[in-house]
Structures are given as structure tokens and as C-alpha cells.
Amino acid sequence: MRIPATVLVLIQTLAGGLAGQGRAADSIAVLQVIERRTEAMRAHDSHAERTIYAPNAVWINAFGRRRVGVDSIEAFLSRLYANPGYAASRMVREKAPEVWFIRPDVAVVHEYHEREAQRLADGSVIPVRRVHTTFVLSKENGGWLVQYQFIGDERETTSRTP
């Protein structure tokens, strides 16, 4: 179940986690950017998703693909969303995003979700993906834009890995 961004900020405000109304408004705005991204991703709408990125944003996915700039990001996402192996997958679990303000005009967001049934080009199905995404956003002309996004899949640890 998704919790709307405004409810998350209200909870944080009531718990004393935010300083002042300005920070609360920025928190809501940042979470709304992340929510727009999630909705566009669910709808497989790369054109809508491009609106959250700064012109020269850097985007790196869990498979090491790096794109710079909204046109390049949108082109990659268009191909990804049209891919039947990706289109067959679905989000099965989400956690509420976490927001940290580095400065009043710079925020970092961590998002986690799980995705199942994604297939690779060879037809093999990826086990449930535990996906961590980190966003760096900046406030530009009164609005928040993603400057940097990194997606990483959590892997099972081995006995040799701490």
C-alpha cells in the first residue's frame, strides 16, 4: 500500500522530524517528484518520467547502464518499457521513501521496492529484485529536479560476505 507524500510529511512533522513549514513544503515537493516518477514507471510512460529530471541529469541502472541528459534517459526508458521482459514484471512491495536535506536546496532520497517476474533477453526470469534507488535532487527556480539517480539491486550475501 502506497502512502501519499503529504501524509508522510504530516507524520514526520507531528513527530518533530522537520524544522519549520518551509522544510515541510520542500519535503512534500520532493516526495511528490518521487511519486510522479513511480507513477510514470508503473504506467511505463517514459515521456512523463522525463519531467522529473534536470537537463543534464545522470541516471545509472542496476545493470550498469549510464545515461546523461533527459533525452538519453527518456530514450532508454522508452526501450525498457517496450521490452516484453520488463513489461511482464510488477512491483510487489514498496517502502515509503526517506528524505534527507543536505542543504535547503539539495535533498537525497532513498527508495526501496521489490519487483518480480522480470525476464532477461534470453527468457530467463530474474528472481525477485530488491531494488534500492538513490536520488539527489536540487531546487531549481522554485521546483525540485533529479540531478542524479542510482539504482542498485540488493543481492544475497554469501558466507564470505559480511
Side-chain angles (χ1 to χ4, degrees), residues 3-162:
I3 300 172
T6 51
V7 173
L8 289 171
V9 172
L10 177 61
I11 291 167
Q12 288 178 329
T13 301
L14 293 174
L18 298 174
Q21 289 181 327
R23 180 62 56 93
D26 282 330
S27 293
I28 290 169
V30 165
L31 289 169
Q32 286 174 336
V33 169
I34 302 306
E35 192 171 316
R36 281 196 343 253
R37 181 263 185 170
T38 301
E39 292 304 317
M41 188 172 71
R42 275 198 183 100
H44 297 171
D45 187 346
S46 59
H47 189 68
E49 193 167 341
R50 85 176 270 140
T51 65
I52 72 160
Y53 296 102
N56 292 314
V58 175
W59 179 94
I60 303 169
N61 75 3
F63 299 91
R65 302 288 188 233
R66 183 177 191 271
R67 297 294 178 261
V68 178
V70 291
D71 292 337
S72 180
I73 294 168
E74 181 182 13
F76 183 89
L77 292 173
S78 291
R79 289 189 304 277
L80 175 66
Y81 295 155
N83 180 297
Y86 183 85
S89 69
R90 63 197 168 281
M91 271 196 248
V92 293
R93 182 173 173 233
E94 298 175 70
K95 289 187 178 179
E98 300 169 276
V99 180
W100 297 270
F101 285 90
I102 307 306
R103 298 188 325 222
D105 62 339
V106 177
V108 174
V109 176
H110 173 260
E111 175 194 70
Y112 174 85
H113 73 270
E114 293 177 2
R115 178 171 290 282
E116 69 178 11
Q118 185 171 344
R119 288 181 288 132
L120 297 174
D122 67 5
S124 61
V125 177
I126 300 173
V128 173
R129 292 181 60 199
R130 295 178 307 278
V131 183
H132 294 268
T133 304
T134 301
F135 302 88
V136 177
L137 296 92
S138 65
K139 194 171 190 178
E140 307 292 332
N141 300 318
W144 289 90
L145 293 173
V146 173
Q147 298 289 340
Y148 185 88
Q149 178 180 342
F150 180 82
I151 304 163
D153 281 12
E154 183 179 319
R155 304 284 188 207
E156 291 295 322
T157 58
T158 66
S159 59
R160 302 175 94 192
T161 307

